[in-house]
């Protein structure tokens, strides 16, 4: 098409402007114009390029899509995206090498590629003839989501590889992450603009790659380090992983500069310790190192378990600890009225997140720590575990410290506080207390319960404060007209929420039971109850003695369940929920439970599922899951890092299986 000279000039100018602002925004962190003005320039360029068919591959519009997607396409990984086994210390890493050498029937010293274990999101990039065709998340390893539109916005990922004869397909895998610097810049900006700050780099990166609107993803300065190759059609590659990294790096793919090739496990250990030393100085978050057999033929020979390769191991760093000050202690009222002391901390970055408050559990814990307001404390956080105050530093020296006192009345409703068991205190008001009401509604809407998308904690508080709801069943009477009256709620969000509430009515019985918020009935117990009784009515009508027959339910929980269902108000609530349309498919009760009467023990780390899920699956099959190994144990599932329980099982000659065997065993029961 013939493009008028004036238009040509405008296009060139717009591109120059956008590139200039991109640089200010992403590289220099000194944006000169508000986002809306940037969007206007971008939209104008897009309009002209479309109208005059004037797109060029290097145009700023080519990294960002023009319209948000409606949904993600599913992608099936031709070669499964594996996960990693992990160890936490020297001996376990040595054991890894022993296993590898045994399998290879060799005593030779092996060469390893050692790399930082970047804390981000695993992705697969598929290039056809050197051109980026598709990017996908790992998902469950087999099926991921197509995130090409977002990955195209990452400036350091080449849209076209800079190499010769790159014929056919080449799949590159790696970790997309947000650097510490980028994270801080984002949060400085968010603070300045008064918008919500991001919790940690990992979550921010994960959120960005899963944006339907690539323009939103483009605002997050994501990076990527490539760590392996998947499908390769016909491009010849070197036979050592370290050399593959050098080669793909020469094509423009970003590889980790902190990787290293090491000889033997001693070399790897030195690398791991060195990396741990410089962890804080790195510009990106890591949670350990990854050790991989460097020779690719040897990798193939070693093969894989169900979900993890036998030739690689993650060496996880120990929990991180930092010191900070306790600014204050507040008392929170939970769903069942329990009053919990929470420390407000001078914000500190530890284990990958900024921690500004943390639970102190109960008054006994405060006494045990000898904690007072104003004290300097050590906070520890590992992985996804809740941060914990582990120690008070120089307790005696702090003259200004103030004692922590349990309030006399409930901080939410002013009702008297009463003792609950040996260490806990609770508000005596029950469901009249607004804090308890809010917490039970939050619980009801949460992910593991009815999973009402969009009904988060803040909104629940707002709805209760505005008196639009006061109990869980009120949720189902909410209308879009009521919702738009709320501050910061648009028509679209209101409609979405009403639709999500409607959708949540179709649930499952374990979810429903869990959502009711019976004391100490978590999702595993809810599943065990359903597996045992098969329906709601028998659960409601059973006695505490009956409940004690359910695997893993003890006398205390049994009594909580009985008490809950003997309360008339609770029964009326269940009726109301059902009359609002909450329903679940009939439960197929297993006639025979494969593990009836057996006792199992779970130890070490499980990769594929959280431990409570594994436990629930066993319980559903009739097994009891015990915390320690004895001669009555039937089977031990031992993940990496298993220690004394595994040894004891070996001594007693009890069957031990790894997670892969456990998974295929569960499969065989289906
Ligand atoms: S290799 C076949 N290398 O860790 C092995 N993974 O816990 C596949 N990760 O899903 C992974 N840095 O997201 C490998 N240098 C690295 C890594 C790395 C981070 C992540 C990856 C993987 C997870 C496994």
């Amino acid at each position: 098409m013939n493009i008028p000279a004036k238009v040509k000039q405008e296009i060139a100018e717009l591109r120059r402007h956008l590139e200039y602002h991109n640089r200010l925004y992403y590289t220099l962190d000194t944006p000169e114009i508000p986002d809306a003005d940037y969007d206007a320039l971008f939209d104008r360029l897009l309009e002209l390029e479309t109208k005059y068919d004037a797109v060029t591959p290097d145009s700023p519009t080519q990294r960002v899509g023009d319209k948000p997607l409606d949904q993600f396409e599913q992608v099936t990984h031709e070669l499964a995206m594996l996960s990693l086994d992990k160890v936490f210390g020297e001996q376990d890493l040595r054991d890894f090498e022993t296993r590898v050498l045994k399998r290879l029937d060799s005593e030779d010293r092996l060469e390893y590629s050692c790399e930082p274990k970047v804390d981000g999101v695993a992705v697969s990039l598929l290039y056809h003839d050197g051109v980026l065709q598709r990017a996908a998340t790992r998902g469950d390893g087999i099926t991921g989501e197509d995130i090409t539109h977002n990955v195209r916005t990452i400036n350091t990922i080449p849209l076209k590889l800079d190499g010769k004869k790159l014929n056919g397909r080449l799949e590159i895998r790696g970790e997309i992450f947000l650097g510490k610097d980028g994270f801080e810049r984002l949060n400085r900006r968010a603070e300045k603009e008064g918008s919500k700050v991001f919790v940690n780099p990992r979550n921010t990166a994960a959120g960005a790659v899963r944006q339907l609107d690539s323009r939103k993803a483009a605002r997050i300065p994501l990076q990527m380090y490539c760590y392996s190759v998947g499908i390769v059609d016909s491009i010849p590659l070197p036979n050592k992983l370290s050399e593959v990294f050098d080669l793909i790096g020469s094509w423009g793919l970003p590889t980790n500069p902190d990787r290293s090739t090491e000889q033997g496990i001693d070399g790897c250990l030195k690398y791991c310790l060195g990396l741990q030393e410089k962890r804080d100085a790195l510009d990106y978050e890591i949670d350990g190192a990854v050790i991989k057999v460097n020779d690719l033929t040897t990798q193939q020979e070693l093969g894989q378990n169900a979900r993890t390769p036998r030739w690689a191991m993650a060496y996880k760093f120990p929990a991180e600890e930092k010191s900070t000050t306790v600014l204050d202690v507040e008392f929170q009222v939970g769903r069942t009225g329990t009053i919990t002391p929470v420390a407000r901390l001078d914000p500190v970055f530890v284990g990958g997140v900024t921690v500004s408050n943390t639970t102190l559990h109960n008054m006994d814990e405060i006494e045990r720590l000898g904690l007072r307001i104003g004290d300097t404390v050590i906070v520890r956080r590992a992985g996804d575990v809740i941060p914990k105050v582990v120690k008070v530093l120089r307790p005696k020296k702090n003259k200004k410290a103030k004692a922590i006192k349990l309030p006399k009345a409930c901080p939410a409703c002013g009702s008297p506080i009463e003792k609950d068991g040996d260490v806990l205190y609770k508000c005596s008001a029950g469901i009249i207390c607004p804090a308890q009401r809010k917490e039970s509604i939050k619980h009801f809407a949460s992910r593991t319960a009815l999973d009402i998308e969009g009904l988060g904690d803040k909104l629940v508080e707002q709805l209760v404060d505005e008196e639009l709801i006061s109990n869980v069943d009120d949720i189902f009477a909410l209308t879009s007209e009521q919702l738009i009256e709320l501050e910061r709620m648009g028509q679209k969000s209101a409609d979405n929420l009403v639709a999500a509430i409607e959708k949540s009515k179709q649930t499952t019985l374990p979810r429903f039971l869990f959502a009711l918020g019976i004391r100490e009935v978590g999702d595993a117990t809810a599943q065990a109850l359903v597996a045992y009784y098969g329906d709601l009515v028998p659960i409601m009508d059973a006695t505490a003695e009956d409940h004690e027959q359910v695997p893993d339910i003890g006398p205390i929980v049994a009594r909580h369940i009985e008490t809950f269902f003997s309360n008339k108000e609770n029964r009326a609530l269940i009726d109301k929920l059902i009359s609002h349309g909450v329903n679940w498919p009939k439960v197929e009760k297993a006639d025979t439970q494969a593990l009836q009467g057996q006792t199992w023990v779970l130890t070490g780390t499980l990769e594929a599922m959280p431990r409570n899920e594994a436990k629930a699956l066993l319980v559903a099959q009739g097994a009891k899951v015990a915390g320690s190994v004895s001669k009555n144990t039937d089977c031990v599932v031992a993940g990496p890092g298993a220690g004394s329980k595994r040894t004891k099982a070996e001594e007693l000659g009890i069957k031990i299986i790894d997670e892969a065997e456990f998974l295929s065993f569960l499969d065989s029961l289906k």
Side-chain angles (χ1 to χ4, degrees), residues 431 437 440-441 464 468-476 569 573 576:
I431 206 73
R437 263 189 289 147
S440 54
I441 297 171
V464 175
L468 285 178
I469 57 175
S470 63
N471 210 343
V472 292
D473 58 309
D474 299 333
I475 295 174
F476 297 103
E569 282 173 34
L573 174 68
K576 275 195 229 158

Side-chain angles (χ1 to χ4, degrees), residues 112-128:
Y112 295 93
S113 166
C114 300
E115 304 153 27
K117 188 168 185 301
V118 182
D119 206 5
V121 192
V123 292
S124 141
L125 309 178
L126 190 64
Y127 287 88
H128 275 213

Side-chain angles (χ1 to χ4, degrees), residues 81 123-127 134 136 161 170-174 224-231 237 244 248 251 253-254:
M81 285 186 78
V123 292
S124 141
L125 309 178
L126 190 64
Y127 287 88
R134 190 203 72 192
L161 297 180
L170 172 69
E171 186 194 10
I172 299 288
R173 290 168 176 184
M224 175 169 180
Y225 284 144
C226 305
Y227 56 59
S228 73
V229 172
I231 308 164
L237 290 177
V244 171
I248 64 173
W251 296 338
L253 285 161

